[in-house]
Amino acid sequence: MLECPYEATKSAFCHHQIKLGAEQELLLVQRGALATTVAEQSEAGRRWADPIQFCMRKKILFVITKSNWGGAQRYVYDLATDLPKDYDVTVAAGGNGILVQKLKAKSVRVVPIQSLTRDIEVASDLKAMWELYKLFRKERPDIVHLNSSKAGGLGAVAARLAGVRRIIFTVHGWAFNEPVPKTTSAFRWFAAYVTLLLCSRNIVVSHFAALQSPLEHGLVTIHNGIGAEEFLSRAEARKEICARTGIPEDAFIVGTIAELHVVKG
């Protein structure tokens, strides 16, 4: 078996195997936010402690458009904080939101890209792509993992120009599904198509997103992992729901868990 460039922690509870590009390397992606007992060290401290080991560490650079706290941000947070300490992890994100604060609290290095925003602004987008290109050239990451549409499009172009060999793109929702004019939707569809072409491996988190993909190139479905929870018994859960909602205890109840948003299907 070839060396895994994106090894997952033994403590994580959900793993998925993905073959990377022509080299067919094994990629283990694990999700889950489990506590670690390993003492946090600064980057400088790690360099001086064992400079040879530091230089041999695989570099993984995550990129996400917004640094607020949502599903995509939690996804990046879980991956960035659950990887083994012998991997060099950096997160580049637009803004200085809750995600940045949470990552810094876990001693994960964060590079703010202030020009990276969700809305389309040509001047700002070109600046963001240039900043990402310079970051990739400086960091020379082994893997760039792009998240969300804007970071995916700009990041894929910048990574290709910078010579990054392994580019992963996770789709958290197709932007062309939003209620926008047809011309805007068509442009977003084309942008998604190009992004998928430029990346080595493309991940969708649901079968619905896979069905809507403009391209099957390197596409794999990986459902988000969640921690094991201790649930109430059926009788206890019913009592709790009725107490919170005012529903009669003898009513027939149908429930679901979902994000009610057009992009999520």
Side-chain angles (χ1 to χ4, degrees), residues 31 64 68-78 172 224 259 264:
R31 299 289 315 282
I64 188 166
N68 61 332
W69 191 246
Q73 287 74 23
R74 175 60 187 269
Y75 175 93
V76 170
Y77 173 86
D78 284 349
H172 298 278
N224 291 336
E259 180 178 354
K264 302 299 181 181

Side-chain angles (χ1 to χ4, degrees), residues 186-203:
F187 172 79
R188 290 181 177 182
W189 186 94
F190 179 73
Y193 178 86
V194 173
T195 301
L196 295 172
L197 275 178
L198 292 174
C199 294
S200 312
R201 179 62 68 186
N202 299 298
I203 300 172

Side-chain angles (χ1 to χ4, degrees), residues 172-265:
H172 298 278
W174 297 111
F176 54 77
N177 280 336
E178 295 181 1
V180 294
K182 291 184 178 180
T183 52
T184 302
S185 180
F187 172 79
R188 290 181 177 182
W189 186 94
F190 179 73
Y193 178 86
V194 173
T195 301
L196 295 172
L197 275 178
L198 292 174
C199 294
S200 312
R201 179 62 68 186
N202 299 298
I203 300 172
V204 290
V205 296
S206 71
H207 292 303
F208 178 79
L211 290 173
Q212 291 191 316
S213 176
L215 188 68
E216 293 184 0
H217 168 71
L219 193 69
V220 62
T221 302
I222 301 180
H223 299 286
N224 291 336
I226 60 174
E229 299 285 349
E230 293 186 4
F231 295 100
L232 298 174
S233 67
R234 181 175 180 178
E236 291 173 331
R238 186 180 186 86
K239 184 177 180 180
E240 182 72 18
I241 291 172
C242 292
R244 291 189 181 189
T245 62
I247 296 175
E249 292 190 9
D250 59 347
F252 183 80
I253 301 174
V254 177
T256 185
I257 300 174
E259 180 178 354
L260 301 179
H261 196 286
V262 175
V263 179
K264 302 299 181 181

Side-chain angles (χ1 to χ4, degrees), residues 34-171:
L34 302 181
T36 177
T37 58
V38 180
E40 301 292 350
Q41 294 178 310
S42 66
E43 181 176 350
R46 293 195 300 271
R47 285 180 182 272
W48 286 107
D50 193 342
I52 296 178
Q53 182 180 5
F54 184 89
C55 292
M56 295 176 63
R57 297 166 69 211
K58 292 286 186 178
K59 300 184 74 172
I60 303 171
L61 204 162
F62 295 93
V63 184
I64 188 166
T65 307
K66 298 169 63 178
S67 57
N68 61 332
W69 191 246
Q73 287 74 23
R74 175 60 187 269
Y75 175 93
V76 170
Y77 173 86
D78 284 349
L79 289 177
T81 56
D82 279 341
L83 286 171
K85 297 302 177 182
D86 52 345
Y87 285 82
D88 186 9
V89 178
T90 300
V91 177
N96 191 32
I98 297 176
L99 174 62
V100 173
Q101 300 168 24
K102 286 180 174 289
L103 287 171
K104 288 183 176 180
K106 288 288 187 177
S107 299
V108 175
R109 179 173 171 241
V110 181
V111 179
I113 308 293
Q114 299 300 342
S115 55
L116 185 57
T117 60
R118 188 178 188 278
D119 297 330
I120 297 177
E121 298 178 8
V122 177
S124 180
D125 293 346
L126 289 175
K127 182 179 179 181
M129 187 168 64
W130 174 245
E131 288 186 56
L132 288 172
Y133 169 78
K134 291 192 297 181
L135 178 64
F136 298 153
R137 291 287 294 177
K138 177 183 177 182
E139 297 294 327
R140 296 291 183 182
D142 296 286
I143 297 172
V144 165
H145 189 163
L146 308 168
N147 294 267
S148 68
S149 299
K150 178 66 80 68
L154 299 179
V157 174
R160 282 293 182 185
L161 293 175
V164 178
R165 293 178 57 195
R166 302 178 182 90
I167 308 170
I168 300 173
F169 173 46
T170 295
V171 179

